[in-house]
Amino acid sequence: MNNPFSLVNKTILITGGSSGIGRSIAIACSQLGAKVIITGRNRERLQQTISMLSGSEHLFIAADLTSEKDMIDLINSLPLLDGFVSNAGIAQPLLLQFIEKIDVDTILNINAISVIHLTRLLLQDKKIKKGASIVFISSINGNQCAYIGSTLYAASKSMLTGFMKATALEIAPKGIRVNSVQPGMIETDLLNSTFVSKEELEKDREKYPLKRYGKPEEVAYATVYLLSDASQWITGTSLVIDGGYTVQ
C-alpha cells in the first residue's frame, strides 16, 4: 500500500528554517523522504538544521526576505518545487499607543508583505509545479482570537489568512493548493527570552483545555499533512492546532 503521507521525490522550500517550528518542519519533511531547502538569515543556525535532517541532498540558502535582492537571488537559486512552507516571522508585543511607524513597517513586512512578494515571485517564475502545495504558518491570534499587545502581530496574521484564501481560488486551476496552519502557543526557545515570568506562562498554559502548549513537531506534522498527497482535495482552508483553546 502506498503511503499517502510520504514526501518521497518531493522538493520542499521552507522559510524560517533555522530554528523552532521551521526547523521541526524541515526535520519532519526529511524523515518522510523530501529533499528540503531551508532559508533564513542566520547561516550557522541553518547549517545546524541541515545536520539534523534525514537523508541527503538538502540545501540551505541564507537570505533576508525583507531584502528585494536577497529574495530575487533566492528565487534564481531554486529548482522546481513540490511544496513551499512560509514560516518566517516575528512576534513583538507592543501596546497600540506605543507603536511607531517603524514597528508597523517592520512587523507587517516580515510577517505578511514579504510572504506575499515571495509567493508572487515563485508563481511568476514558475518555480512551483502543478499539483504542488503551499502552506502558510499563521496563528490563532488575529484569526480566531486576539491578545492585548498583539495588534500588529494579529493584523499581520489575519492579512496572511486573507491572502491565502484568495490565492487558493486564483491558482486552483493550476492544480496548486494553498492552505494555512494556525497554531496556538507553541513551546519554542522564544518563550525563554520573553519578559513573561515562568509563573505567568504556567498560568497561561492552564487556559488550554489540554493543559499545555503545543510542541513544534505537532505543527510540523500538520504541515506535512497539507504538503502530502493525503490532502489533495484541501485548499483555501486553515487548520487550527491549539489544544482546544478557541473552542471555549
Side-chain angles (χ1 to χ4, degrees):
M1 175 181 174
N2 291 331
N3 178 6
F5 300 95
S6 172
L7 299 180
V8 172
N9 297 323
K10 292 184 185 291
T11 300
I12 310 293
L13 170 67
I14 303 164
T15 68
S18 59
S19 62
I21 292 172
R23 175 173 284 177
S24 288
I25 293 170
I27 291 170
C29 286
S30 73
Q31 290 172 340
L32 286 162
K35 175 184 176 181
V36 173
I37 304 171
I38 57 172
T39 186
R41 289 180 290 188
N42 189 307
R43 181 178 295 270
E44 183 179 341
R45 290 195 299 176
L46 288 170
Q47 289 176 322
Q48 289 173 353
T49 299
I50 290 292
S51 71
M52 299 174 181
L53 304 185
S54 301
S56 58
E57 299 185 12
H58 307 299
L59 302 172
F60 77 87
I61 303 171
D64 179 352
L65 297 182
T66 64
S67 162
E68 184 178 5
K69 180 185 182 301
D70 279 15
M71 191 178 291
I72 291 172
D73 288 345
L74 170 65
I75 296 290
N76 291 336
S77 302
L78 293 173
L80 290 177
L81 301 173
D82 301 282
F84 164 45
V85 180
S86 176
N87 169 73
I90 59 171
Q92 185 178 345
L94 288 168
L95 292 173
L96 183 59
Q97 60 184 324
F98 299 120
I99 288 173
E100 304 287 345
K101 183 179 183 299
I102 191 172
D103 300 317
V104 177
D105 294 343
T106 299
I107 294 174
L108 293 187
N109 193 12
I110 293 173
N111 287 0
I113 295 171
S114 64
V115 179
I116 292 170
H117 286 310
L118 180 55
T119 306
R120 170 181 64 84
L121 289 171
L122 286 170
L123 291 168
Q124 287 177 346
D125 284 32
K126 295 180 169 56
K127 291 290 186 176
I128 300 180
K129 294 180 182 177
K130 181 177 182 179
S133 172
I134 298 172
V135 183
F136 299 123
I137 306 303
S138 185
S139 173
I140 59 172
N141 193 353
N143 291 295
Q144 310 293 331
C145 59
Y147 306 95
I148 293 173
S150 71
T151 49
L152 290 181
Y153 183 80
S156 68
K157 291 302 185 178
S158 58
M159 184 189 299
L160 203 56
T161 299
F163 175 69
M164 176 273 292
K165 291 181 178 181
T167 304
L169 283 177
E170 189 171 317
I171 65 177
K174 301 177 185 290
I176 301 171
R177 299 180 294 108
V178 190
N179 296 286
S180 72
V181 174
Q182 295 181 1
M185 192 69 81
I186 302 299
E187 296 278 3
T188 67
D189 291 340
L190 286 176
L191 287 183
N192 299 323
S193 60
T194 66
F195 58 85
V196 181
S197 69
K198 290 183 178 180
E199 291 75 18
E200 289 173 311
L201 285 174
E202 193 56 42
K203 186 177 179 180
D204 190 59
R205 288 186 182 93
E206 287 298 311
K207 296 178 182 178
Y208 285 74
L210 292 181
K211 303 303 179 186
R212 66 174 177 87
Y213 289 158
K215 302 173 184 177
E217 57 267 30
E218 291 169 327
V219 180
Y221 301 150
T223 305
V224 163
Y225 167 65
L226 292 174
L227 290 170
S228 75
D229 292 343
S231 60
Q232 286 186 70
W233 209 48
I234 299 177
T235 195
T237 195
S238 296
L239 182 54
V240 174
I241 307 173
D242 69 350
Y245 184 89
T246 56
V247 301
Q248 299 178 95

